Amino acid sequence: MNSHCWLQQGLSLFYWAKQIEKREKTHFQEDIRVEATVQGQQKTEEIKFKTLPILISLLLAGFIGMFSETALNVALSDLMNVLNITPSTAQWLTTAYLLTLGILVPISGLLLQWFTTRQLFVAALCFSILGTFLAAVSPNFEFLLTARVVQAMGTALLLPLMFNTILVIIPPAKRGAAMGLIGLVIMVAPAIGPTIAGLLIESLSWHWIFWLSLPFLVIALVCGILFMQNVTKVTKPRIDALSIVLSSLGFGGIVYGFSSAGGTEGWGTPKVIIPIIIGVVALALFVFRQLTMKQPMINMRAFKYPMFVVGVVMVFIAMMVILSSMLILPMYLQQGQGYTAFKAGLLLLPGGLINGLMSPLMGRLFDKYGPKWLVIPGLIIIAVSLWFFSSITATSTVVFVIVLHSALMIGVSMIFMPAQTNGINQLPMELYPDGTAIMNTLQQVAGAIGTALAVSIMTAGTNSFLKGVADPKDPANMLSAFTNGVQNAFIFGMIVSIVGLVVAFFLKRVIVSHQTQSSMH
């Protein structure tokens, strides 16, 4: 059954990529002229991109990378027993992964200008393969933690590379459909991760989560070596060590602090407060330094473009909602309704698959109608779904969960890709690496903040309920308290989506040609 799920996903990726190529053949295989100045004279260099093999290589690798980000979450309970570790220790397997992404993704814009597309792709896949293999053979917690960090290094290189490459090889007017494929990767992989991981744990062992991923990563690497092309010019800008240090402290501190608060630390401990303070101060210094440098590590001028700013806010909100919901809902299905990890994941599978099918469709609708009439209804669907989810109880039916989760996934597909693509489209081509670095970094920060706040609200709601009952240790009262906390967490998600709805009314469609965009600055 697990191999069937993976085969379906692989065929789905191939089908959508093939459909895009067929529909847009005249656009995808047109010659893209890159102007290069050589000894003061203008020369035109012809580059013909083989779009389909490049898309397949990137999307397959990205799919496995995002699958790895969430697949292990459902195995944490099993790992605590097998490796004899506490919940707070097990939480580090997720925290370390997010922390590595938070540190490395911000410097991806610099790496994209220092190394060729092929070099970065091969490096990303080598890190991912090495990390996955080490995880598959891990004998203890320390070994597994190291493997997760190596895995995250590969994902941190791959995600910005995937966005930037598609932005370069596909004209803005046809970019929505291709970005819909990225939406399929980013949303479906985390959605089906718990299902497949739950099945593997039930049938084999947690090691097989990684053994299953390994051959697909090797296939992606071979495809990349054979077909990947260099799509950007290597300019090798000056490396500012202080900017890298401030970026690492800033984003790393914030991700670590919020991740700790979302674990077992609580908000009032030094382990949470100090990293967040250091992160905020370092981030402020980082932004100030970028604005005063001639060659910044991340060009903050991207924020001069209003639709890019709106797109960043939309992506931030979407990631907060989806990642917090994907943490709270499976937790309640297992602890509140008594489902196994596999059954809980299975209930969430239809929503994940629907999201994957909707993403390319939303891409085509975006190309035709723009973002506003997708994002606003999408946020309304999310807000309504979360409002219904706030009434979930231990007796809620399977149909209730599947329908609402599917609606939630449809809403997310209507927001994520259209807002992101519209924002990036407004940037000049020279700011693509910076724009993708900003978007991808803030996605990790949004994930850390969203999950931390959701878990904290859930815990506070649980504790508040228990204080008002005569016997807090009564199992019935404990279940009611947990249910109250989960309901509060969904109300938090609904409020966040309503804030996003207000911002969405400022969306305007960006219409700009590829040629105009490359000359803007």
Side-chain angles (χ1 to χ4, degrees), residues 92 158 185 198 240 253 420 441 519:
W92 266 99
L158 184 66
V185 168
D240 181 53
Q420 186 172 36
T441 301
S519 62

Side-chain angles (χ1 to χ4, degrees), residues 2-284:
N2 56 322
S3 61
H4 178 65
C5 289
W6 280 103
L7 179 61
Q8 275 190 323
Q9 291 303 316
L11 290 174
S12 177
L13 287 174
F14 179 82
Y15 171 77
W16 285 114
K18 193 70 180 173
Q19 289 303 305
I20 290 175
E21 186 184 53
K22 183 188 291 185
R23 286 194 305 271
E24 313 300 345
K25 191 171 182 181
T26 57
H27 294 279
F28 280 4
Q29 297 193 350
E30 70 178 356
D31 290 341
I32 297 179
R33 299 176 180 273
V34 180
E35 299 295 329
T37 304
V38 181
Q39 295 178 348
Q41 296 181 344
Q42 293 288 334
K43 293 186 178 182
T44 302
E45 180 184 355
E46 297 278 348
I47 300 177
K48 193 169 185 178
F49 295 121
K50 298 175 182 176
T51 309
L52 181 60
I54 292 175
L55 276 177
I56 291 175
S57 301
L58 288 170
L59 293 172
L60 182 58
F63 184 86
I64 302 299
M66 293 303 295
F67 169 79
S68 297
E69 189 167 345
T70 58
L72 200 63
N73 289 351
V74 78
L76 289 182
S77 297
D78 191 60
L79 286 169
M80 283 186 280
N81 294 327
V82 174
L83 301 177
N84 195 26
I85 55 177
T86 64
S88 58
T89 303
Q91 182 71 26
W92 266 99
L93 294 171
T94 301
T95 301
Y97 197 96
L98 285 173
L99 191 58
T100 305
L101 292 177
I103 291 172
L104 289 182
V105 171
I107 67 173
S108 62
L110 185 64
L111 294 175
L112 285 167
Q113 297 172 72
W114 261 86
F115 300 98
T116 66
T117 309
R118 284 176 58 85
Q119 287 172 335
L120 285 176
F121 183 81
V122 171
L125 265 294
C126 286
F127 278 121
S128 295
I129 290 170
L130 176 60
T132 301
F133 175 75
L134 291 175
V137 299
S138 293
N140 54 46
F141 171 76
E142 291 77 15
F143 203 95
L144 180 58
L145 183 63
T146 303
R148 290 289 285 170
V149 171
V150 176
Q151 267 191 320
M153 291 168 70
T155 306
L157 290 175
L158 184 66
L159 289 179
L161 177 69
M162 180 167 63
F163 278 98
N164 194 67
T165 301
I166 288 179
L167 288 171
V168 171
I169 68 176
I170 295 175
K174 304 298 176 183
R175 209 170 270 162
M179 293 297 277
L181 275 175
I182 293 185
L184 182 150
V185 168
I186 287 178
M187 293 302 171
V188 173
I192 71 167
T195 308
I196 295 174
L199 178 61
L200 291 172
I201 291 167
E202 206 168 87
S203 306
L204 299 164
S205 74
W206 62 267
H207 292 90
W208 281 91
I209 294 173
F210 303 104
W211 285 123
L212 182 65
S213 302
L214 202 55
F216 291 96
L217 290 171
V218 173
I219 291 170
L221 176 60
V222 172
C223 288
I225 291 172
L226 292 176
F227 303 114
M228 186 60 66
Q229 295 171 265
N230 296 322
V231 304
T232 54
K233 185 179 178 182
V234 176
T235 57
K236 294 191 175 182
R238 186 175 69 87
I239 296 176
D240 181 53
L242 182 57
S243 291
I244 293 176
V245 171
L246 290 173
S247 168
S248 300
L249 286 173
F251 292 110
I254 290 173
V255 170
Y256 176 79
F258 275 96
S259 295
S260 298
T264 57
E265 299 300 326
W267 289 96
T269 61
K271 193 175 179 180
V272 172
I273 295 173
I274 292 174
I276 291 177
I277 292 174
I278 291 174
V280 170
V281 172
L283 200 56

